[in-house]
């Protein structure tokens, strides 16, 4: 993990801005495309001709994460995953991320460094580098991430779906929502669901594979499957129907549903945070490995489940 | 200004996430290099081969700005200027920015939209586009900006200065600090200094000009002239001396100094927020138009003023 320059109980104020930046910089290894990493006015990248995709997200303590529900390293993984997934959903691969961290002066420096380690590890899992950052005092922990990536073919937008196509899903879906429900009731098990919430495993290869297979529209499920399907429907000016029977409910989801008295499909249809992908393909035969058909696209507007309006929560809104 | 979809006293909560995003998106005009602006999982840019420079900054209410000291539009200008300047300090020109806005639910929607207008106007002044963003609830207003730019020649780093070179300054310096001192005492004049704080006028052309003239090192003055000179000295492993007589003190600075009982050079040597640039050049003869020699580079370490250690504040630290 490299030598920590601070005592184990040092706060950010104790460690000081420049000590912290030095410690962060040591954590962030740079890929070959990075000519200059953190430490100057800006990072310098060498980028080839082509489509560059850029996405940015904020995560706020108490709203997007709780320090008592996940370790600093988990939060780092989640913050990176959220942004890497946005690039994934364009059919691209992220190569460079920046990170802004606002935090109270009494935040343990160890929390910030563990967070950075988790963030860097998640980025490394797709070969991306943390090329720059900023650190400042704030009343609550705020994490601002920007991801930059490349597409080897035309990016897949939300707006390309047409009537007659199929809707498909990649990645596990509903697990993080199940884990969140468990944590919300004060429990810590089933561990596999809690871990799915703390450290999602987005299907990072699936975006590029879908783009190469001819996906017509794609979106990252961060706020809920049906909410994101509704975005696809709106942007593409089509109607989307999702089939309940398309989902094989994993045993832990069934168990938690039974224990909490919640239909486990609620987690699947309304849950976000797994960073699964939704995409449309012209035909069932086009759907590549790692993707499963879960619905269909028709003329019209809005989303339905098995042809009917859905009464449950489809996701969450930010205000 | 476009039609506002909300009533004049609407809060962010009243306006709702999607209404706000729509209103923001209407404000952000896209340049030709932007194939896809805000609204999808990521923006899509067309970038030519070459050096891409990336920088990120956080601004936090109560720490970097106060809503009673500057209008929303001013804060937007300042937030953009801070990041555009980082790209300027590499010798590059920004083309694309992302913006993350965290804010309390009761923030007036009009504040957010005016902020966005100021931000967009500052970006437009250098031909840059706001290509993406994120909006979420937070306890205080937090603004996270990432700027992406291009360099037509090798970026100018902080580490390239050598003994025997000259130190030069571009842009007005100390004005924003003078304005901040005035505001801090509860005054609103001299107006020209208060305006310099509220809406800096960074020398956006000076970075590229310096790079083309052979600047060996360069840095943006955001935290204080001497503090940034110290960064240059440290990264370049040299000593830097600044000459007091190099500065023609502008009349408003002299007046404020007299009124507040402060040596006006304090604003110049310790002040940031104007986003002036510091650079080193091999020789006085290399210093291009728009730049003025203010000191010299020697073997050794650290900064001095007229050969002596400086007792005043050199800038500020973030923790």
């Amino acid at each position: 993990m490299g030598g920590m320059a601070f005592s184990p109980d040092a706060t950010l104020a104790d460690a000081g801005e420049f000590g912290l930046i030095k410690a962060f910089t040591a954590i962030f290894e740079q890929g070959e495309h990075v000519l200059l990493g953190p430490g100057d006015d800006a990072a310098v990248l060498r980028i080839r001709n082509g489509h560059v995709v850029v996405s940015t997200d904020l995560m706020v303590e108490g709203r997007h994460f709780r320090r008592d529900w996940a370790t600093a390293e988990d939060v780092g993984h989640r913050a990176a995953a959220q942004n890497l997934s946005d690039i994934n959903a364009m059919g691209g691969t992220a190569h460079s991320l920046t990170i802004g961290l606002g935090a109270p002066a009494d935040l343990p420096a160890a929390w910030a460094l563990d967070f950075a380690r988790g963030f860097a590890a998640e980025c490394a899992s797709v070969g991306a580098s943390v090329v720059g950052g900023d650190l400042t005092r704030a009343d609550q922990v705020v994490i601002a991430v920007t991801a930059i990536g490349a597409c080897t073919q035309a990016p897949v937008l939300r707006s390309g779906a047409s009537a007659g196509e199929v809707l498909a899903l990649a990645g596990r879906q509903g697990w993080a929502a199940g884990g969140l429900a468990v944590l919300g009731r004060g429990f810590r098990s089933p561990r596999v669901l809690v871990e799915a919430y703390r450290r999602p495993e987005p299907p990072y290869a699936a975006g590029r594979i879908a783009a190469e297979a001819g996906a017509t529209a794609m979106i990252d499920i961060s706020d809920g499957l049906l909410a994101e399907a509704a975005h696809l429907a709106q942007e593409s000016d089509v109607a989307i129907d999702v089939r309940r029977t398309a989902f094989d409910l994993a045993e832990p989801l069934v168990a938690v549903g039974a224990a909490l008295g919640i239909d486990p499909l609620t987690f699947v249809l309304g849950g976000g945070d797994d960073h699964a992908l939704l995409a449309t393909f012209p035909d069932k035969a086009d759907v590549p490995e790692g993707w499963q058909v879960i619905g269909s696209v028709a003329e019209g507007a809005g989303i339905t489940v098995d042809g009917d309006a859905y009464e449950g929560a489809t996701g969450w809104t930010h205000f």
Side-chain angles (χ1 to χ4, degrees), chain A:
Chain A
M1 289 309 208
M4 278 221 0
F6 325 119
S7 74
D9 55 353
T11 64
L12 292 191
D14 298 331
E17 184 190 5
F18 297 108
L20 285 164
I21 288 174
K22 203 171 158 186
F24 279 128
T25 303
I27 289 169
F28 299 141
E29 290 178 26
Q30 302 300 317
E32 281 183 19
H33 72 289
V34 185
L35 301 178
L36 182 72
D40 214 295
D41 290 290
V44 182
L45 315 177
R46 184 169 28 211
I47 291 188
R48 291 202 200 87
N49 268 330
H51 290 116
V52 172
V53 283
V54 184
S55 178
T56 198
D57 272 309
L58 283 180
M59 275 176 65
V60 176
E61 179 174 13
R63 185 148 183 87
H64 300 101
F65 65 94
R66 283 176 53 161
R67 273 190 272 155
D68 56 340
W69 281 4
T71 67
E73 222 166 327
D74 291 336
V75 176
H77 276 275
R78 281 189 62 209
Q82 178 170 344
N83 284 269
L84 296 172
S85 285
D86 284 325
I87 304 301
N88 195 19
M90 303 301 284
T93 305
H95 51 68
S96 307
L97 291 91
T98 63
I99 180 153
L101 178 65
D106 64 358
L107 184 81
W111 194 95
L113 294 180
D114 283 344
F115 162 78
R117 287 187 189 101
F119 191 89
E122 188 75 19
C123 292
S125 76
V126 301
S129 304
V130 185
V131 302
D134 190 27
L135 179 65
T136 193
R137 198 187 289 197
D139 291 348
Q140 66 192 145
V141 180
V142 177
I143 299 160
V145 179
T146 300
I148 307 174
C151 287
T152 52
Q153 69 296 309
V156 183
L157 313 187
R158 297 179 177 183
S159 52
S162 304
E165 297 185 335
V166 297
L167 178 73
L169 171 75
R172 63 186 188 189
Q173 168 61 19
W175 290 46
L180 189 59
V182 163
L183 286 166
R185 307 287 179 103
F187 301 115
R188 304 273 156 158
S189 69
R191 202 174 163 74
V192 66
L193 295 188
V194 171
E195 285 303 313
Y197 167 75
R198 289 179 174 159
R199 208 171 282 203
E201 295 181 4
Y204 287 126
R208 189 179 45 75
I209 288 171
E212 287 169 356
T216 53
M218 187 151 53
I219 195 167
D220 160 48
I221 304 179
S222 49
D223 289 345
L225 190 153
L226 292 181
E228 307 290 3
H231 291 314
L232 272 192
Q234 183 170 359
E235 296 297 323
S236 295
D237 200 15
V238 294
I240 289 180
D241 183 60
V242 173
R243 282 202 324 270
R244 278 190 179 83
T245 53
F247 302 98
D248 291 322
L249 286 172
E251 190 280 327
L253 282 181
V254 175
V256 165
L260 303 183
I262 296 172
D263 177 355
L265 251 179
T266 307
F267 302 130
V268 174
L269 296 179
D273 286 322
D274 289 302
H275 298 296
L277 294 183
L278 274 183
T280 52
F281 295 89
D283 189 86
K284 210 181 293 188
D286 300 313
V287 175
E289 207 176 312
W291 287 81
Q292 87 186 99
V293 175
I294 63 162
S296 56
V297 184
E299 289 187 13
I303 49 163
T304 48
V305 176
D306 294 331
D308 295 319
Y310 182 70
E311 303 294 330
T314 59
W316 81 332
T317 51
H318 295 267
F319 277 102

